[in-house]
């Protein structure tokens, strides 16, 4: 392991603990991964709590899913790998069961092309849109297939009755994107039943041009 990868692992644990401490993750729910300098993937072990991770526990797998070191990876690593293969610019992926986004994922009649309408510019600037993957049980290979198809043109996804999957150029970027998306979901739930001014198509187009 290079000194650069050791730094990435320490940063990885820092952000996992931060998400847990601030209530974005509970118990052993959710999993996070990042791409190491050699192309291998660092990920949280199966059943692990984001708030109680040690460097030696962290799983490392190849892009083809071969387990190289650390504890056994989550069964959901397959959908992480599917995204990395289709999205070369993706440096990290955050999958959470955070409350507001999971609540949105359980709603009937979602627009599967984009689950959240834009009420703030930051939703557009961070993730752009939020396509929905139909419900499959956790670990079902069809989740990876659906995400692989969506990955080239999207940075965030909502698994029906499950939760969000969010990409970023780095672990810090992925976490920031996930947090902004969760706040957008909170606003959507708070504004239900109100007369909302959504951003117009022209306003959204202008913001898409500003995306990082």
């Amino acid at each position: 392991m290079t000194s650069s990868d050791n730094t990435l692992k320490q940063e990885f644990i820092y952000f996992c603990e931060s998400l847990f401490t601030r209530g974005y993750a509970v118990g052993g729910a959710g999993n996070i991964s990042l791409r190491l300098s050699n192309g291998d993937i660092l990920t949280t072990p199966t059943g692990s709590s984001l708030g109680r991770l040690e460097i030696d526990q962290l799983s490392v797998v190849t892009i083809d899913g071969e387990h190289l070191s650390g504890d056994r990876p989550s069964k959901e690593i397959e959908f992480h790998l599917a995204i990395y293969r289709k999205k070369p610019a993706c440096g990290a992926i955050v999958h959470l069961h955070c409350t507001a986004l999971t609540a949105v994922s359980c709603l009937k009649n979602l627009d599967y092309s984009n689950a959240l309408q834009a009420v703030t510019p930051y939703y557009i600037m961070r993730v752009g849109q939020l396509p929905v993957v139909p419900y499959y049980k956790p670990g079902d290979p069809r989740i990876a297939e659906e995400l692989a198809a969506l990955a080239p043109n999207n940075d965030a996804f909502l698994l029906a009755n499950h939760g969000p999957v969010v990409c970023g150029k780095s672990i810090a970027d992925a976490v920031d994107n996930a947090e902004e998306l969760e706040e957008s979901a909170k606003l959507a739930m708070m504004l239900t039943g109100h007369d909302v001014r959504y951003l117009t198509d022209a306003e959204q187009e202008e913001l898409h041009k500003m995306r990082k």
Side-chain angles (χ1 to χ4, degrees):
M1 180 177 65
T2 67
S3 59
S4 174
D5 284 347
N6 187 57
T7 299
L8 278 176
K9 287 186 175 185
Q10 292 172 340
E11 185 180 28
F12 184 86
I13 287 178
Y14 166 80
F15 280 109
C16 288
E17 289 179 345
S18 175
L19 286 168
F20 182 86
T21 300
R22 292 179 296 124
Y24 289 93
V26 297
N31 35 78
I32 297 178
S33 66
L34 65 77
R35 200 191 301 260
L36 295 170
S37 59
N38 66 355
D40 291 336
I41 305 300
L42 178 73
T43 187
T44 47
T46 186
S48 60
S49 167
L50 298 188
R52 298 187 296 274
L53 293 171
E54 301 289 340
I55 282 184
D56 291 343
Q57 293 178 305
L58 299 178
S59 304
V60 178
V61 301
T62 67
I63 194 65
D64 296 319
E66 179 186 357
H67 183 200
L68 299 177
S69 63
D71 292 351
R72 183 164 58 91
S74 166
K75 61 180 174 293
E76 294 185 319
I77 187 59
E78 291 302 327
F79 74 63
H80 289 245
L81 297 175
I83 294 171
Y84 285 121
R85 293 186 197 113
K86 293 290 187 176
K87 202 170 189 66
C90 179
I93 297 169
V94 172
H95 167 50
L96 301 170
H97 300 170
C98 42
T99 305
L101 281 164
T102 302
V104 170
S105 81
C106 297
L107 296 174
K108 288 184 176 181
N109 302 317
L110 284 175
D111 178 353
Y112 271 37
S113 68
N114 186 20
L116 293 176
Q117 296 187 64
V119 294
T120 73
Y122 311 104
Y123 167 62
I124 299 295
M125 294 169 69
R126 275 286 172 188
V127 300
Q129 59 188 11
L130 186 63
V132 182
V133 172
Y135 174 77
Y136 301 109
K137 69 179 181 180
D140 190 306
R142 287 174 291 183
I143 297 176
E145 293 169 8
E146 296 266 2
L147 288 172
L150 290 167
N153 299 311
N154 296 279
D155 293 320
F157 323 87
L158 191 62
L159 308 182
N161 298 88
H162 189 157
V165 178
V166 186
C167 302
K169 297 180 180 68
S170 65
I171 183 66
D173 188 46
V175 168
D176 284 350
N177 292 344
E179 291 179 8
E180 186 62 51
L181 191 57
E182 174 69 355
E183 293 306 305
S184 295
K186 289 178 184 177
L187 287 173
M189 300 298 278
M190 290 172 63
L191 291 169
T192 299
H194 293 273
D195 189 13
V196 180
R197 180 200 178 272
Y198 295 104
L199 298 184
T200 67
D201 289 345
E203 289 166 341
Q204 292 184 51
E205 181 61 30
E206 183 179 33
L207 292 165
H208 276 292
K209 296 175 182 177
M210 297 172 59
R211 289 195 62 211
K212 295 181 177 181

